[in-house]
Amino acid sequence: MLDWFNDLDPILQSLLAGGFTWLLTAVGASLVFGLVRVHRSLFDAMLGLAGGVMLAASYWSLLAPSIEVAGELGWPSWFPAAVGFLLGGLFLYGLDRTLPHLHRGLPDASAEGVKTAWQRSVLLILAITLHNIPEGLAVGVAFGSAGSDLSIASIGSATALAFGIGLQNIPEGLAVAVPLRGEGMSRTKSWLLGQASALVEPISAVIGAAVVVYAAPVLPFALSFAAGAMVYVVVEELIPETQQEGNEDLATLFLMIGFVVMMILDVSLG
């Protein structure tokens, strides 16, 4: 990263990093202007890649630092990681049960959350927005922790996390915009709504960073909370969706590729 970025306030860093992950979603969604549809096998591969990145980030960028930070702060090393991880999963479970959303390829009757009369396109966007919330939180918590005096936290690790999430947001943006196009929307509207699904990332990134900066003792809990939220999304949403059309092996392979890419980024930059 540039020196000027390293000198910024952690909350501003998280805002810019969240903006970066949103921008790459917008770049991916812009591919709708040249594509008519995404083959299901490619779509499942992209979901697998995203799941792998999120799983690797959950451990390398969040859970492992949570365990080490807990020791530096005098907590039992396992306690914040275990408690925060479960709370993060419960938080996403609560959102999943209450936020109206619909997964791609399913009939309207399969919409989850509180029942509404919202349009199908809105419910499709909310399904992706739901899984962007923990990504933004993870980025914010990472940059917030990098601004602390603890040895485990670093700008490099936070940057690796933002870059990894941004990287998988490119195919994710495409995977949102093209189905909207398939629902009969214009290419421009499909792009606008596709990129809008990631606007929650800079917002949740700022929230995550602010919690860590202004309530430093919760740092290990915040790190593991973000990890639990991301793992919940991967297991509850991404992996099941890749198992519906016979592309299990392909999706699993790309999940492993995504995991390795994120691991390399974190280890090399962190």
Side-chain angles (χ1 to χ4, degrees), residues 25-99:
T25 304
V27 169
S30 70
L31 296 176
V32 74
F33 291 104
L35 295 175
V36 176
R37 62 185 293 270
V38 176
H39 194 274
R40 181 67 201 209
S41 61
L42 177 58
F43 181 78
D44 288 338
M46 291 188 293
L47 287 180
L49 184 73
V53 168
M54 293 173 72
L55 285 178
S58 297
Y59 176 73
W60 295 100
S61 300
L62 299 168
L63 272 179
S66 172
I67 292 170
E68 294 199 39
V69 168
E72 293 187 39
L73 294 177
W75 289 96
S77 58
W78 57 269
F79 183 72
V83 172
F85 186 83
L86 292 175
L87 288 176
L90 287 172
F91 172 70
L92 257 293
Y93 171 77
L95 284 182
D96 190 55
R97 292 297 295 257
T98 56
L99 182 68

Side-chain angles (χ1 to χ4, degrees), residues 1-8 13 16 143 155 159:
M1 268 292 177
L2 300 174
D3 290 338
W4 65 267
F5 182 81
N6 296 339
D7 294 333
L8 295 177
Q13 288 175 337
L16 293 176
F143 278 100
I155 287 290
T159 301

Side-chain angles (χ1 to χ4, degrees), residues 11 14 137 140-141 144-145 204-223 225:
I11 295 179
S14 68
L137 285 174
V141 168
S145 63
S204 53
V206 168
I207 293 173
V211 168
V212 170
V213 169
Y214 295 113
V218 306
L219 173 56
F221 295 93
L223 287 165
F225 181 94

Side-chain angles (χ1 to χ4, degrees), residues 48-257:
L49 184 73
V53 168
M54 293 173 72
L55 285 178
S58 297
Y59 176 73
W60 295 100
S61 300
L62 299 168
L63 272 179
S66 172
I67 292 170
E68 294 199 39
V69 168
E72 293 187 39
L73 294 177
W75 289 96
S77 58
W78 57 269
F79 183 72
V83 172
F85 186 83
L86 292 175
L87 288 176
L90 287 172
F91 172 70
L92 257 293
Y93 171 77
L95 284 182
D96 190 55
R97 292 297 295 257
T98 56
L99 182 68
H101 63 284
L102 176 66
H103 296 297
R104 179 184 182 273
L106 296 179
D108 293 355
S110 298
E112 301 177 42
V114 176
K115 300 302 179 183
T116 72
W118 293 351
Q119 293 183 351
R120 177 181 173 88
S121 58
V122 174
L123 295 175
L124 289 168
I125 295 166
L126 287 176
I128 302 299
T129 301
L130 182 66
H131 123 217
N132 284 333
I133 292 173
E135 292 180 4
L137 285 174
V139 170
V141 168
F143 278 100
S145 63
S148 70
D149 296 327
L150 299 170
S151 59
I152 187 60
S154 71
I155 287 290
S157 180
T159 301
L161 177 60
F163 186 77
I165 288 177
L167 186 66
Q168 60 96 24
N169 274 358
I170 296 175
E172 185 177 279
L174 175 63
V176 178
V178 170
L180 292 176
R181 173 65 175 162
E183 294 287 326
M185 291 187 181
S186 68
R187 296 182 189 274
T188 299
K189 189 172 182 180
S190 297
W191 174 78
L192 287 172
L193 293 177
Q195 58 82 30
S197 68
L199 286 174
V200 70
E201 290 198 11
I203 297 171
S204 53
V206 168
I207 293 173
V211 168
V212 170
V213 169
Y214 295 113
V218 306
L219 173 56
F221 295 93
L223 287 165
S224 56
F225 181 94
M230 289 213 294
V231 169
Y232 183 93
V233 167
V234 173
V235 176
E236 192 276 338
E237 178 185 338
L238 296 186
I239 292 178
E241 194 163 348
T242 65
Q243 311 295 302
Q244 297 176 4
E245 301 290 337
N247 297 315
E248 296 90 342
D249 291 343
L250 178 66
T252 301
L253 176 62
F254 272 84
L255 184 145
M256 296 181 71
I257 292 172

